[in-house]
Amino acid sequence: MEQKIKNIGVLTSGGDAPGMNAGIRAVVRACAYHKIKCTGVFRGYQGLIDNDFEELNARSVRNIINRGGTFLKSARSRMFMTEKGRAKAYENLLSQEIDALVVIGGDGTFTGATIFNKEHNFPIIGIPGTIDNDIRGTDYTIGYDTALNTVVEAIDKIRDTANSHNRLFLVEVMGRDAGDIALNAGIGAGAEEILIPEENLGTDRLLESLKRSRKSGKTSSIIVVAEGDQIGKNIFELAEFIETNLEDYEVRVTVLGHIQRGGSPSCYDRVLASRLGIGAVDALIDGKKDIMVGIKDKKITFVPFDLAISGENEIDIDLRRVADITSI
Amino acid sequence: MEQKIKNIGVLTSGGDAPGMNAGIRAVVRACAYHKIKCTGVFRGYQGLIDNDFEELNARSVRNIINRGGTFLKSARSRMFMTEKGRAKAYENLLSQEIDALVVIGGDGTFTGATIFNKEHNFPIIGIPGTIDNDIRGTDYTIGYDTALNTVVEAIDKIRDTANSHNRLFLVEVMGRDAGDIALNAGIGAGAEEILIPEENLGTDRLLESLKRSRKSGKTSSIIVVAEGDQIGKNIFELAEFIETNLEDYEVRVTVLGHIQRGGSPSCYDRVLASRLGIGAVDALIDGKKDIMVGIKDKKITFVPFDLAISGENEIDIDLRRVADITSI
Amino acid sequence: MEQKIKNIGVLTSGGDAPGMNAGIRAVVRACAYHKIKCTGVFRGYQGLIDNDFEELNARSVRNIINRGGTFLKSARSRMFMTEKGRAKAYENLLSQEIDALVVIGGDGTFTGATIFNKEHNFPIIGIPGTIDNDIRGTDYTIGYDTALNTVVEAIDKIRDTANSHNRLFLVEVMGRDAGDIALNAGIGAGAEEILIPEENLGTDRLLESLKRSRKSGKTSSIIVVAEGDQIGKNIFELAEFIETNLEDYEVRVTVLGHIQRGGSPSCYDRVLASRLGIGAVDALIDGKKDIMVGIKDKKITFVPFDLAISGENEIDIDLRRVADITSI
Amino acid sequence: MEQKIKNIGVLTSGGDAPGMNAGIRAVVRACAYHKIKCTGVFRGYQGLIDNDFEELNARSVRNIINRGGTFLKSARSRMFMTEKGRAKAYENLLSQEIDALVVIGGDGTFTGATIFNKEHNFPIIGIPGTIDNDIRGTDYTIGYDTALNTVVEAIDKIRDTANSHNRLFLVEVMGRDAGDIALNAGIGAGAEEILIPEENLGTDRLLESLKRSRKSGKTSSIIVVAEGDQIGKNIFELAEFIETNLEDYEVRVTVLGHIQRGGSPSCYDRVLASRLGIGAVDALIDGKKDIMVGIKDKKITFVPFDLAISGENEIDIDLRRVADITSI
């Protein structure tokens, strides 16, 4: 590459995820290592428009690897969805003499990056940071592993009380379009049933399964439900449906909500974020652009943005079978 | 007491609480220590009626001190609310040759004990086990300290994401009639406002407080709300009310629910439960009955049941002031 | 008090303890509430000598209530032990126009405060912040409750592996002169034996107890040992002694060390620190000096420094009995 | 396969690891699913010799997925290392009518399985269960992910106190021959240096690195050291060496020890163990033997035992670079 990168901007965008701070830290320190200036951009793409910049050095990011959230803050920017907003952002990048961007976020973030690059031919590398694990081209996204542990720990607590009372619990977890959290955390938490958006097993199977559970001697049950409609019902309607159709079932609903986005990141998420942050800076130095850096088979990989955000989530048939067998 | 106790029954009743297992363990081992037979009763008072008994020795309760819930299971028994049910229970106790009972639970449990004792003159000692801390005559109830830690850890996670997004979060915690959890966990979690059932500060104060918060430079806020109606609104209505009356506030609701009842008990709850369990057996040996064993000023104390369940919860004015000052 | 306090300095000194940040935060916010200037002093008494000051406002302490350690840092200052060092400190306090100090720490911290006050008649209020709980005149010190939970969680993990292998574990916990951590955490963790500095039960009792344990059917055992010599042996010598004198015992040693000082503070420690911080500022406004603010029977209390650091730690006979009975 | 499997034995052997219970549970439930009898063997290979068997059904393994350790207990059996011992084991397997074994453990476990299979042509499938991740042919071993989180959480606590006191901490983690835990947890915990058995960077580099750290403005440092000799010194000698060769460094040593083996397994380890347990039963049904079931690129894979335990651990050059860059 002829033109040397001298100043890399870094931002987090979209929903926050545990490990984003570790990712920012890695970008900042990789810049320090390569003697490249690093500029933090606050509140995602909106910060580009609002000129919300701050130079970051190796010491700026100390003691953040263990913290949830993102110290650069995140936001969804409506202005960045307009051509005018993006033009303003480009202008600000130029006047700050920022040569390239690393953006940490999910599909919305990458979509924005692709459009911005098309319009302004500006080098951007994406890092997948979202608890939903719904990005193609990477085995894992930053924050997903932590969210799984958070969900499993929460359900372990619910199980204490479920066991004590012979109750049925419906637990709603995040994942509007992707059932990864529900399926993995459901297996990990020993759930009796797992309802995910990628498949509709129908109400009959659910009732049959609950009847079978009780018959087999189970005295309490936990059903993990990915958020959004399930079997055409929300989780409270589902609870009512079960109470109506099965005798002697006391059903309780828990919506885990935003605790799933927070918490100190797991070791895996910290290491992943560190690797991807360094990989992103390496990629910019190598002249790459318009791609996401991901992890595949324990190795750093690069995927074009359009591929990363394409396609629908597919269930892992193998895992579905694991869920069915272990909940016998 | 002339008549020596030879067989003590132990049961858990009402909502379960972390530390109940530690309490049962202490009762069982105190019996072993004093060479008294100990009989476990399953599913609370219902187990008395259903003849659901099991002899417990010192080894029966190994490796349970760290587990949430209650291995004897708990239940609310409708039959025990009838004279006939209680007569059946008494009959079973006699045929099992159980001389006395230790019951672990809350006000419903103690009310049942009082009535049973009046009818059948049967020695019962109560141990306060409920996360709500709404029992008079004891500084703490078993499970309360653990529940506070659970709530604070959950809000710490929510704060990660609140900070990352400049959002307002409403977090509902348990406590239909008692604001102890909300007030203490609210202070511990650094909440900006705390709404408790013992006082109605009104909507104006809330809006003023939020405006003041923002003016003072706070970029995100967390409001802890005890369950049940607050200011005449449930938590979802409250969220809507705030979004309607304040500009630019993105409000999110989290209902912590049953995770507050579970989890491995804190050291405090384990030690408290151990002390109260031993105290209950000591009391029976001393010929006491119809009382609760509690903790006051770090010492074991005894309180008549009717006193333990009397009166309304009062807010700690001192703590209210701490909340006001630290959220400035 | 005729002379109004206008500027309060706050520092942490001695070993750090979880909750110190919550204490600093409360002091800072109580100052803001009373419209008193607040000055943070870094690195304890040494910061007074080195002129290491920084003005703190209500926003300076945001998002620290949940963090272990102390953001003002702590240190043991040799210079402050000299008259010359203290004279320099006094000079700096005057030139900073600091009228009074709140010091958070343990007995060494309070001893320094007493001497400084005698020499320079400078108003100082102490807050007990130490995991050891070895201060007279307060039921609890900041950090103690968190340390107990840390120890209990660690031993829960060790028990997993102890149970899996039928092993004997010796676990060393903090407490050179005070057995409070060992005794409470030992009960909470279900230890078979607890060795504390306040009593020497002798090696015979220990061997007898272990033999009895095994005979009673226990397949694994955990012994909690307060640091420092026990029965005239350190923990490694103790392990060897047991292996030599008992057959078929595989003994393992774990020294928990400094993990006991860290970690996010428990709810109890956060609330306690908040109360004591506010109490300290209240006391200064009331014209109090040369005293420690503590908690007794759930109420704020004030104790002269010399009383707080006097006397030896005594074992709680009641708790000792609880340990003996529950480990049967 | 002509001969249908009718009775599968399952055991855990060697050092225990979090997730072993989830693995046993999956084997038991896969057997129930396929209508195969399942026999639990207690205390590893020793249980085969001692006839320590118990039939397990789907309900026998309820509520164990979240528990550390192994409820079947583990042991290292000297008798199984003798031909006579193995002959006795074989005899007992025949008289119990057990057709095949699933063994969960590490390299010692697999070595035993290979020898036993050679002598008695008995179908055995291995599942890698060890926190050390030192098995070839699988990306991860059961317990490794949990151990990483345990180490990182412990170092987070130590960092609280390190930051508060400007200290240098040496933290010893498990891994006598494999530096995987040290390297990954070191990156995850933000360690300044990581010493692993696969490389000897020498004392000069270490001193240089510490001097550079301080110069760059770091006020506290954490060095992660894999157990066993490092640079020809044990961790206490290393501490002394640093204090001798660098000025003004207060060095503290923490040996994490057996807490790394315990704890509730992470979601990843639970799901991994569930998949491998089912995979092992699938393999036996398919007529496989003398192999280990592992995970490669998120898919189930099978590896001959001799390959699984062959070769030396190699450091991941890529990760080593991540450690160097992020600790800048």
Side-chain angles (χ1 to χ4, degrees), chain D residues 34-87:
Chain D
H34 293 295
K35 310 212 182 304
I36 295 169
K37 185 175 165 182
C38 186
T39 304
V41 184
F42 286 86
R43 292 176 303 112
Y45 291 129
Q46 188 62 34
L48 292 180
I49 297 169
D50 296 347
N51 246 325
D52 204 350
F53 299 108
E54 187 178 302
E55 191 177 338
L56 301 174
N57 64 44
R59 292 289 73 70
S60 315
V61 289
R62 73 170 131 197
N63 295 327
I64 65 164
I65 196 171
N66 55 328
R67 295 202 192 136
T70 157
F71 89 100
L72 289 179
K73 296 185 185 280
S74 186
R76 288 178 222 275
S77 167
R78 282 191 201 162
M79 289 174 74
F80 196 75
M81 291 180 190
T82 67
E83 213 179 304
K84 205 178 143 193
R86 291 189 296 270

Side-chain angles (χ1 to χ4, degrees), chain A residues 25-26 29-30 32-34 58-59 62-63 65-66 139-140 145 148-149 152 156 159 163 184-185 187-190 216-219 264 266-268 270-271 274-275 278 282 297-298 300 318-319 321-322 325-328, chain D residues 25-26 29-30 32-34 58-59 62-63 65-66 139-140 145 148-149 152 156 159 163 184-185 187-190 216-219 264 266-268 270-271 274-275 278 282 297-298 300 318-319 321-322 325-328:
Chain A
R25 174 180 177 269
R29 296 208 165 160
Y33 180 84
H34 293 295
R59 294 287 73 70
R62 74 171 131 197
N63 296 327
I65 196 172
N66 56 327
D139 283 349
Y140 298 105
D145 184 63
L148 290 181
N149 284 331
V152 159
D156 283 352
R159 185 172 293 276
N163 283 334
N184 279 275
I187 292 172
S216 81
K218 290 194 188 186
T219 51
S264 184
S266 69
C267 184
Y268 185 85
R270 298 184 193 191
V271 174
S274 299
R275 296 185 70 177
I278 289 171
D282 284 344
D297 197 10
K298 299 177 90 176
I300 289 292
D318 192 24
L319 268 188
R321 181 171 173 260
V322 169
I325 293 178
T326 53
S327 62
I328 206 170
Chain D
R25 174 180 178 267
R29 295 207 165 161
Y33 181 84
H34 293 295
R59 292 289 73 70
R62 73 170 131 197
N63 295 327
I65 196 171
N66 55 328
D139 283 349
Y140 298 104
D145 185 62
L148 289 182
N149 285 331
V152 159
D156 283 353
R159 184 172 293 279
N163 284 332
N184 279 275
I187 292 171
S216 81
K218 289 195 188 183
T219 52
S264 185
S266 68
C267 184
Y268 185 85
R270 299 184 192 191
V271 174
S274 299
R275 295 185 70 176
I278 290 172
D282 284 344
D297 197 11
K298 298 177 90 175
I300 289 292
D318 192 24
L319 267 189
R321 181 173 172 258
V322 169
I325 293 179
T326 53
S327 63
I328 206 171

Side-chain angles (χ1 to χ4, degrees), chain B residues 60-79:
Chain B
S60 314
V61 288
R62 74 170 131 197
N63 295 327
I64 67 166
I65 195 171
N66 57 326
R67 297 203 191 134
T70 156
F71 89 100
L72 289 179
K73 295 185 186 280
S74 185
R76 288 177 222 274
S77 167
R78 281 190 204 164
M79 289 174 77

Side-chain angles (χ1 to χ4, degrees), chain B residues 25 29-30 32-34 58-59 62-63 65-66 139-140 145 148-149 152 156 159 163 184-185 187-190 216-219 264 266-268 270-271 274-275 278 282 297-298 318-319 321-322 325-326 328, chain C residues 25 29-30 32-34 58-59 62-63 65-66 139-140 145 148-149 152 156 159 163 184-185 187-190 216-219 264 266-268 270-271 274-275 278 282 297-298 318-319 321-322 325-326 328:
Chain B
R25 174 179 177 269
R29 295 208 166 162
Y33 180 84
H34 293 294
R59 294 288 72 71
R62 74 170 131 197
N63 295 327
I65 195 171
N66 57 326
D139 284 348
Y140 299 104
D145 184 63
L148 288 182
N149 284 330
V152 159
D156 283 351
R159 186 172 292 278
N163 283 332
N184 279 276
I187 292 172
S216 81
K218 290 194 188 186
T219 51
S264 185
S266 68
C267 183
Y268 186 85
R270 298 183 192 191
V271 175
S274 299
R275 295 186 70 177
I278 290 172
D282 284 344
D297 197 10
K298 299 176 91 175
D318 192 25
L319 268 188
R321 181 172 172 259
V322 169
I325 293 179
T326 53
I328 204 170
Chain C
R25 174 180 177 269
R29 296 207 165 161
Y33 180 83
H34 293 295
R59 293 288 73 70
R62 72 170 131 199
N63 294 327
I65 197 172
N66 56 327
D139 283 350
Y140 298 105
D145 184 63
L148 289 182
N149 285 330
V152 159
D156 283 353
R159 186 172 292 279
N163 283 333
N184 279 275
I187 292 172
S216 81
K218 289 195 188 185
T219 51
S264 186
S266 69
C267 184
Y268 185 85
R270 298 183 192 192
V271 174
S274 300
R275 296 185 70 177
I278 289 172
D282 284 344
D297 198 11
K298 298 177 93 176
D318 192 24
L319 268 188
R321 181 173 172 258
V322 169
I325 293 179
T326 53
I328 204 171

